[in-house]
Amino acid sequence: MGKTSDLTAVQKTIIDTLHKEGKTQKVIAKEAGCSQSSVSKHINRQAKGRKKCGRKKCTSSRDNRTLQRIVTTNPFKNVGEIHKEWTAAGVSASRTTTRRLMKDMGFRCRIPCVKPLLNKKQRKKRLAWAKDKKDWTDAEWSKVMFSDESKFCISFGNQGPRVWRKSGEAQNPRCMRSSVKFPPSVMVWGAMSSAGVGPLCFLRSRVNAAVYQEVLEHFMLPAADQLYGDADFTFQQDLAPAHSAKTTSTWFKDHGIPVLDWPANSPDHNPIENLGGIVKRRMQYARPNNAEELKTTIRATWALITPEQCHRLIESMPRRITAVIEAKGAPTKY
C-alpha cells in the first residue's frame, strides 16, 4: 500500500469518483488498491472550504483596507503613528499586528528617494536641453569634465525620515521627498571625466565668485591637465550663483575653456552626483572623530575610484537624456 504521494492519477480519480458517490473510505481503499489513510489524506487535501487551523484573525477585511488607506495616504508616518490612527478608527489590534499586516500588504520601510523641486519653466528647459543633447555620442560626452560641490558630514547615520512603500514604488511621487539646493557650508569640490577623477578641493568658506575662481585656477586646471593633457574639453558646472557670475564667465573666456550649457536643478543629469553617492556609501561605516579625520577618509575613498567606474557613469549620459525626454522634463531615477 503506497503513501498519498505515491498514488497514481488513476487511483486519485477512483478515490474522487467513489467519494462523490458516498462510499466509505474502507470501500474506496479496497477499490483503489491503497491504504485507508492514503484515501483519507487525499480527500482532506482535495476538500474545499474547510476551516483553517490556528487563531482566528483579529481584524476583518474592512479593517485591513482601512490600514492600507492610512499607510498610502501618510507613507511618512512611523508604525506607532499609523497604529494609533488605525486603532482610533475602532480597530482592536496590537502594534505588532499592525507591523505584520503592513508587511503582508507589501509595505517596507525605506529611505525615500530625493527629487529636485521643479517648476513648469524649469521642466520645459530641462526637456529642451535633453532634446538638444539626444544625439550626442559617448565620444562627445567623454570630452566633458563634470564637476560638483558635495557636503560631507561626520555622521552618516541620520538620513532623515523613512517612508512606507511597496516594491517598485521608489519613484512614485508620493513616496519621494522634495529637495532644494543645500545651504552654503563647508563642502568638497571635485571633478571627473571618462578618464577618471581629478584632485579634491576642501572649501573652507562660503563659495562666492572669487573663491570659486581660485578653485578653478588651482584645482580644475590641474585636473584638466591630468585627465585630458593637451586635448580639448568642455567644462560642466551647475547654475550656482558663484558659477554663473559675470566674473566667472570672464575667467572661462580668458582661459579659452568652453562651458556646457546646463539646466537649473538637474542633479539627475550629472554623473558626478552618482560618484558622490558611491563615496558616501563606502564611507557609511567610517566614524571620523573630527574634520581632519573626515577629510582623510574622503581623500582615501576618492582615491579608490577607478577610471572604469567613471567611464561607465559617462556612458550612462544617453540613457539619462532619454529618461528626461520620456519624463517630459520631470525628475528621473538617476
Side-chain angles (χ1 to χ4, degrees):
M1 300 277 181
K3 298 180 180 179
T4 308
S5 58
D6 296 330
L7 293 176
T8 64
V10 175
Q11 287 176 314
K12 292 179 181 179
T13 302
I14 294 174
I15 293 172
D16 293 337
T17 302
L18 295 179
H19 178 64
K20 289 179 182 179
E21 293 177 358
K23 303 293 183 180
T24 64
Q25 293 184 4
K26 185 176 182 179
V27 173
I28 295 174
K30 185 177 180 180
E31 292 292 332
C34 62
S35 66
Q36 189 173 335
S37 63
S38 296
V39 173
S40 177
K41 290 179 180 179
H42 176 73
I43 292 174
N44 289 336
R45 286 182 179 180
Q46 295 297 105
K48 296 181 179 179
R50 65 188 181 94
K51 294 183 179 180
K52 295 182 179 180
C53 300
R55 290 180 59 185
K56 183 180 178 180
K57 292 184 176 180
C58 63
T59 59
S60 64
S61 297
R62 183 176 182 179
D63 295 334
N64 294 347
R65 289 195 298 271
T66 301
L67 175 61
Q68 184 162 4
R69 184 171 62 253
I70 291 172
V71 179
T72 303
T73 305
N74 307 286
F76 287 92
K77 287 190 173 183
N78 58 41
V79 176
E81 293 170 330
I82 292 173
H83 173 69
K84 185 176 181 179
E85 184 175 345
W86 193 34
T87 53
V91 179
S92 178
S94 67
R95 180 168 172 163
T96 302
T97 298
T98 303
R99 180 184 287 274
R100 177 177 54 79
L101 286 175
M102 289 167 64
K103 186 176 181 180
D104 291 343
M105 292 174 184
F107 291 106
R108 298 294 184 271
C109 191
R110 297 287 187 261
I111 297 172
C113 296
V114 180
K115 65 174 182 179
L117 194 60
L118 300 173
N119 55 39
K120 291 183 179 180
K121 185 177 180 181
Q122 290 171 334
R123 291 190 181 194
K124 187 177 180 179
K125 287 185 176 181
R126 281 165 52 90
L127 180 59
W129 181 88
K131 289 181 177 179
D132 182 58
K133 302 294 187 293
K134 67 178 181 179
D135 295 324
W136 276 37
T137 63
D138 290 344
E140 288 176 294
W141 286 115
S142 67
K143 295 179 181 179
V144 178
M145 180 192 293
F146 292 89
S147 69
D148 191 33
E149 293 95 3
S150 183
K151 181 180 178 182
F152 286 81
C153 301
I154 289 180
S155 174
F156 294 91
N158 183 16
Q159 295 175 306
R162 300 176 77 89
V163 62
W164 291 98
R165 69 185 188 215
K166 296 183 179 181
S167 177
E169 290 186 337
Q171 299 300 317
N172 190 316
R174 71 173 185 81
C175 296
M176 302 175 73
R177 60 185 178 91
S178 298
S179 69
V180 295
K181 300 288 288 185
F182 35 73
S185 63
V186 176
M187 294 183 182
V188 180
W189 179 92
M192 66 166 287
S193 74
S194 61
V197 297
L200 289 177
C201 173
F202 292 94
L203 306 171
R204 296 183 179 181
S205 62
R206 184 184 181 91
V207 181
N208 54 30
V211 172
Y212 185 60
Q213 289 161 34
E214 289 292 323
V215 173
L216 296 175
E217 189 75 38
H218 300 291
F219 291 90
M220 190 275 281
L221 293 180
D225 291 336
Q226 173 186 330
L227 299 174
Y228 293 98
D230 296 329
D232 293 333
F233 71 97
T234 301
F235 185 69
Q236 178 278 332
Q237 59 181 2
D238 59 27
L239 299 183
H243 302 176
S244 55
K246 289 184 179 180
T247 55
T248 303
S249 299
T250 302
W251 186 94
F252 281 110
K253 290 180 181 178
D254 292 343
H255 288 77
I257 300 174
V259 178
L260 182 69
D261 60 300
W262 198 256
N265 275 2
S266 300
D268 50 340
H269 291 355
N270 198 342
I272 201 172
E273 292 278 352
N274 302 83
L275 201 61
I278 293 172
V279 173
K280 290 180 179 180
R281 284 194 296 274
R282 289 181 177 179
M283 292 176 57
Q284 64 181 333
Y285 299 113
R287 291 295 178 266
N289 296 313
N290 51 55
E292 289 304 317
E293 290 184 8
L294 177 61
K295 290 180 182 180
T296 302
T297 305
I298 295 172
R299 286 193 188 97
T301 310
W302 184 257
L304 295 176
I305 300 296
T306 64
E308 290 74 21
Q309 287 177 299
C310 296
H311 185 69
R312 285 196 296 270
L313 287 173
I314 298 299
E315 282 185 329
S316 70
M317 285 304 298
R319 297 194 298 274
R320 295 170 191 262
I321 300 299
T322 301
V324 173
I325 294 174
E326 291 177 350
K328 297 181 179 179
T332 63
K333 66 178 181 178
Y334 291 97

